[in-house]
Each structure stands twice: as structure tokens, then as C-alpha cells.
Amino acid sequence: MATHLVTLIGILWGQIRETRSGQPTLITFPDFGTKRAVIWVAIAWPHAPHQRELGEFIGWMVTGRGYTTKNAYWPQSWASRLGATLATWSGPEGAAIFLTVPRSSLIEAVEGLYATLTHLPIGDPIAWEGYKRKYLRQWEGFSLEQELKWRLKGATKAPGGFTQEEAALYVQRYLQPDSLYLIIGGALSVREKIQLRKLTFRSPFSGGDRNSPPSPPPPSLSDTTEENLWAYPAYVALQLTTPPSWAEKIAFIEAFLTRWREEAAPLRWQGEFWGKHTYLLFARVDGKSYAFLRGLAWLTPRDTTEIKAWKAAYTLARSNLYAYPDLYPDVWIAASLRGDTVALPDTLPEDLWKKGWPFHAVGTWLYNEAVTEDTFSSLQVLSPPDTLPPPSPPDFFWEGKGSLPVAEWAASMQLYHDRFPEAFFELIGYYRQTRSRNRRWKELHELRRTFINRYKIPAFLLRVTLQKAGPDFPEKAIRLRCYGP
């Protein structure tokens, strides 16, 4: 007897969903582009908010970090062969594993993701103990930063407070074909869709009860202020209330970060979207930055120049969201699991930019008494002045280690140029021997083309210079210098 499958296709702005009985729901984002050389692929599944850590631990096992038995399936082997690295994400909506691969390897990548989830060693007691021990090792000792992040995400118990039976029930309940989402960052051809539909996913366990009532979300974070000698100068772990639409969320966060960096830059910060109306912000700040966060109640532009800076920051963020979806699982995966429409127009209506947004922050504020010396005495000057003080021109130096922060440099150039159109920038490279001069010259011009083509930096603003380097100077170093007014 032939099996009849019913396909329901729901088309949202920028997102296409296709549901077939007994198979993962296929979600594609045509706005990502149809001719890109690489494509982003993710397998996601929903879970209850309080199971976020279990989802994180499953991702820990999936990526093969920490521990493997001799006969265990090693997922990084096929991922490395495709030139990719497996990554994971877990939030209140669910969890996911994902990677970016050449488009020609799309089918092989999906097969590998399916096989990885199928070979979870969840029932092996030896493997379980090894993975659990390695997972808990990251929490050994005391870290104020980790503790605040843990509390910021609404955790109500110590890390690792789950058993092997709970993990097995989690896999049995959520890692089923009907529960999975196959998310593709781009449009698919008819041939590719047919190939994907031929792939089957087999759960490590038989289907569990997925119709039980959902667990209540963890309690909301209360606002607390505490003097703490460890928090020098100050730590903040905050939940920011965001606007409803994704375009406004991005615009609001980028406007806030632009104002924050310019007026009272933090020493270090991290952030991610969390749930439907929340952005988690963790930061280490000095007294000036602490006072800025305490005194900010409404984020509204002070002049047309700042509006232009906010628009430029939104445009750059929108470009990065489409160009590097693997860096923003809190947007693309969370929205897919919730069924949200991620519509990111080129810009927002002018009246929204002029009106601004309310700034509501709730969370943990830890400070050392020394921070009050330059904080509370300056709260009365937090009212916005008539004109903004001119920001310092960007001057960045990269020693040649790690990844070059191209996006950060591009954003700084855009924002500074919007305020001072007469400014121009210089990429300075270094060489030791004459025979390496041409090679360095080509590398710098390739970087210049990246700024121009990918980040839309006007070509006439950016020039390239080579300088002779001393024997102890890092030859791969690059400096970005601004010549402002």
C-alpha cells in the first residue's frame, strides 16, 4: 500500500516552512541568497525553558568535546573533511547543532548531522560518566563571571544537576523526526529538496510522550544591587526588554551599543537575544559606564548625526546577520523554533528613529565601593548635552594572532565617517625583507577590497601603506589609522 504524505507549505516574509509527516520540518531562508558558495545548515529541536542545560549537554556530546570511547562515532571527522566545525546552541526555545559548508556538500552535511544525533552514546554508562565529568570540569573553582551568567539565564540549581535517566528521557522525547527542524540558510533547488526528502532520521530511542503539558518557565530575574569586593570595578548581568519586531530589536540593540561605546565604553561585554522580548547583557564596567547604565531610561537620538550613526550600525548588523548566520543562532534558530518572522528591511521608518525606545534593565548589579567615587557623584550630569563631544578617531592594531576583527573595524570606520565626512583611513602593513613586500602589498589590498565590497566602505576613504618592520616587530601586524578633523 502506498504511503501518502501530506505537505503543508507555509510562506512567511523571508522564510519558507515545509512540513511532511514523519520527517523534520524544512525551513529555508531565500533572503540569504541563492548563489552563495557556502551554505548554513542547522538541526534544531524545541524543549522546555528549564531544560536549556540538558540541551547544552547534548550539544557537548554531539560535538565530541571532552571524551569519547574507542568505538564512539566521532562527528568532527566528517565535519573537518567538509572544511567545517560543528557548533551548538541552547536557549529557552530549544537547542541545535549547526555548521557552514560549501554548497556542493549540503547533502553530505545533512547526512552527517542526522548520523551524529543517531549515534549519541546516551545509553553507554562509561561514555556518560566521561562526558559528564568533562562537562562539570568547566565549573570547577569559583568564577564570578560564570556565576553571574548562570544566574542571568534563570538557573535555579547548580550546574550538572541532571541524571543519565533525565538525559535519556530528553532525547527520547525531543529527538524524534516530527520534532526536528532542518534549517537551511538559503534557497533550495527542486533537485536539492528531492535529495533531502530521501534522507531519513532515526532516533536513538523510540518515540516518547511529546503531548505532556509543558513545564512552567523559570522565575523571572529580580533586580538586585550588591556591594562585592570581587566585583572590581563593577559587574552587571542584565535582562533588557526589547521591542516586538526583529527589525526593531536589532535597531534598538545597535543604537544602545553605539551610544554606550561612544559615551561610556565597557571594559568587556557579551550579549544575546533570549526568549521573545529579552536581550541578555553581561558586562564588566568602570564607574562611568556603570553610571551610564543606571541613568539611562529612554534611548532617543540627540541630533541627526546620531540618527545617521544608528542607521549605519543597523545596516552593518543586518549585513552581518545575513552574511554570518552561524554567529547568530540566538536570532535565526530561536526565531525558527518559535515560528517568528525575521523581516529585516533596509532601514526603519524615520519616525521610529526619532522617537527612540524605552530602556528597561533588570538584573544583578555588583560593584565595589571604589566605583562610587566616580559614579554616584556624577549621576546628575547624565542628562544629554545639546551636542555630542567629538569621539576619538579609531586607531586599531592587530598583532597577527587570531582572527582579524574586520567587522569591528568596518563599523568604526562607518560610524566615524558618518560624523566626520572629511575623515579618511589608512591600512598600514609591515614587511622585513624586500622579497616579501609584494606579498604583503597584495594581502593588504585584498583586505581593502573586503572592506569596500562586503562592508560598503567608500573606496576613496581607504588607502594602503607599507612600512619597514624591525627584527622584533610582528611582520603580520596591521594597523588601521584614522585621519580625522
Side-chain angles (χ1 to χ4, degrees):
M1 179 182 297
T3 302
H4 298 279
L5 298 179
V6 178
T7 304
L8 175 63
I9 302 180
I11 301 179
L12 302 173
W13 188 6
Q15 180 185 129
I16 299 177
R17 289 173 173 256
E18 301 183 28
T19 304
R20 293 174 66 87
S21 177
Q23 290 191 10
T25 298
L26 176 62
I27 300 178
T28 55
F29 290 90
D31 286 352
F32 280 49
T34 58
K35 298 181 180 180
R36 299 175 65 171
V38 296
I39 194 164
W40 178 66
V41 186
I43 299 289
W45 58 91
H47 62 207
H50 75 283
Q51 294 176 309
R52 182 203 63 82
E53 192 192 8
L54 265 176
E56 181 180 83
F57 180 74
I58 295 301
W60 180 279
M61 299 183 73
V62 162
T63 55
R65 289 179 291 180
Y67 181 86
T68 54
T69 59
K70 182 177 180 180
N71 298 321
Y73 183 79
W74 185 245
Q76 292 292 2
S77 58
W78 63 266
S80 299
R81 189 173 67 254
L82 299 180
T85 301
L86 274 176
T88 66
W89 172 84
S90 183
E93 298 87 358
I97 57 174
F98 55 91
L99 73 171
T100 300
V101 294
R103 193 176 187 96
S104 59
S105 303
L106 169 63
I107 306 303
E108 186 178 355
V110 176
E111 285 180 325
L113 291 173
Y114 282 175
T116 296
L117 292 177
T118 301
H119 288 81
L120 278 176
I122 202 72
D124 184 347
I126 298 178
W128 167 265
E129 290 298 330
Y131 276 111
K132 184 73 175 291
R133 184 168 57 252
K134 290 290 185 179
Y135 177 77
L136 292 177
R137 184 166 294 176
Q138 63 181 325
W139 299 99
E140 290 180 352
F142 175 75
S143 168
L144 180 61
E145 180 173 330
Q146 284 189 331
E147 176 69 19
L148 287 179
K149 289 178 182 177
W150 187 254
R151 290 160 55 181
L152 183 61
K153 294 184 177 181
T156 57
K157 56 184 179 180
F162 51 84
T163 64
Q164 184 177 7
E165 290 72 20
E166 290 175 324
L169 289 174
Y170 176 96
V171 172
Q172 183 180 0
R173 179 178 181 182
Y174 296 115
L175 268 62
Q176 300 295 326
D178 290 335
S179 299
L180 296 184
Y181 293 80
L182 174 57
I183 306 172
I184 308 293
L188 297 177
S189 65
V190 175
R191 179 182 60 83
E192 288 172 328
K193 285 187 178 182
I194 292 175
Q195 288 179 301
L196 288 176
R197 287 169 182 164
K198 291 180 179 179
L199 303 180
T200 58
F201 173 76
R202 294 180 176 85
S203 173
F205 298 100
S206 60
D209 179 15
R210 298 190 298 275
N211 298 319
S212 59
S215 302
S220 59
L221 191 67
S222 59
D223 198 36
T224 60
T225 303
E226 179 184 346
E227 182 182 334
N228 191 306
L229 294 178
W230 288 52
Y232 182 80
Y235 283 93
V236 293
L238 307 176
Q239 294 181 353
L240 308 185
T241 303
T242 62
S245 70
W246 273 106
E248 274 197 81
K249 290 178 192 290
I250 303 300
F252 163 71
I253 293 299
E254 292 302 318
F256 161 67
L257 294 177
T258 301
R259 172 79 66 82
W260 194 21
R261 292 188 186 112
E262 183 175 300
E263 189 168 301
L267 302 177
R268 186 174 71 253
W269 74 276
Q270 296 178 17
E272 63 178 303
F273 290 100
W274 190 261
K276 194 171 182 63
H277 302 295
T278 306
Y279 184 85
L280 300 186
L281 178 67
F282 173 84
R284 182 170 178 259
V285 296
D286 59 11
K288 183 179 180 181
S289 188
Y290 180 90
F292 170 81
L293 293 174
R294 276 299 199 184
L296 185 61
W298 190 280
L299 189 65
T300 184
R302 291 172 287 195
D303 49 37
T304 56
T305 302
E306 191 170 30
I307 293 180
K308 291 181 180 179
W310 289 3
K311 288 181 178 179
Y314 169 80
T315 301
L316 181 60
R318 178 182 180 273
S319 175
N320 286 336
L321 280 165
Y322 283 124
Y324 309 104
D326 53 315
L327 300 181
Y328 305 96
D330 55 322
V331 175
W332 299 112
I333 294 177
S336 299
L337 291 173
R338 287 202 308 265
D340 288 355
T341 301
V342 184
L344 301 178
D346 292 338
T347 187
L348 273 65
E350 194 69 22
D351 59 334
L352 278 178
W353 292 112
K354 294 179 179 179
K355 179 182 177 182
W357 299 272
F359 185 83
H360 180 65
V362 176
T364 304
W365 308 75
L366 295 183
Y367 70 97
N368 186 284
E369 60 179 1
V371 84
T372 61
E373 296 178 4
D374 62 340
T375 297
F376 298 112
S377 60
S378 62
L379 286 177
Q380 65 272 17
V381 301
L382 287 176
S383 57
D386 295 334
T387 58
L388 287 175
S392 302
D395 191 344
F396 296 104
F397 182 77
W398 179 64
E399 294 184 354
K401 299 177 182 179
S403 300
L404 181 67
V406 181
E408 179 183 344
W409 288 13
S412 296
M413 284 190 285
Q414 285 184 336
L415 296 178
Y416 195 79
H417 172 64
D418 287 339
R419 176 150 298 191
F420 301 105
E422 65 274 19
F424 66 94
F425 307 92
E426 185 178 37
L427 278 174
I428 304 174
Y430 304 89
Y431 70 96
R432 289 202 191 98
Q433 299 176 345
T434 304
R435 65 172 179 267
S436 63
R437 191 175 188 278
N438 289 337
R439 174 177 56 81
R440 292 293 291 158
W441 188 258
K442 291 179 181 179
E443 291 173 353
L444 287 175
H445 275 278
E446 182 64 30
L447 178 59
R448 179 177 180 269
R449 283 192 292 271
T450 300
F451 282 119
I452 295 171
N453 297 331
R454 180 181 298 173
Y455 297 100
K456 310 305 179 185
I457 302 296
F460 64 88
L461 290 181
L462 189 59
R463 67 187 189 188
V464 171
T465 302
L466 276 180
Q467 296 182 4
K468 188 78 172 180
D472 298 329
F473 193 84
E475 188 178 13
K476 293 183 179 181
I478 298 176
R479 183 182 297 277
L480 172 64
R481 178 170 291 168
C482 171
Y483 296 90

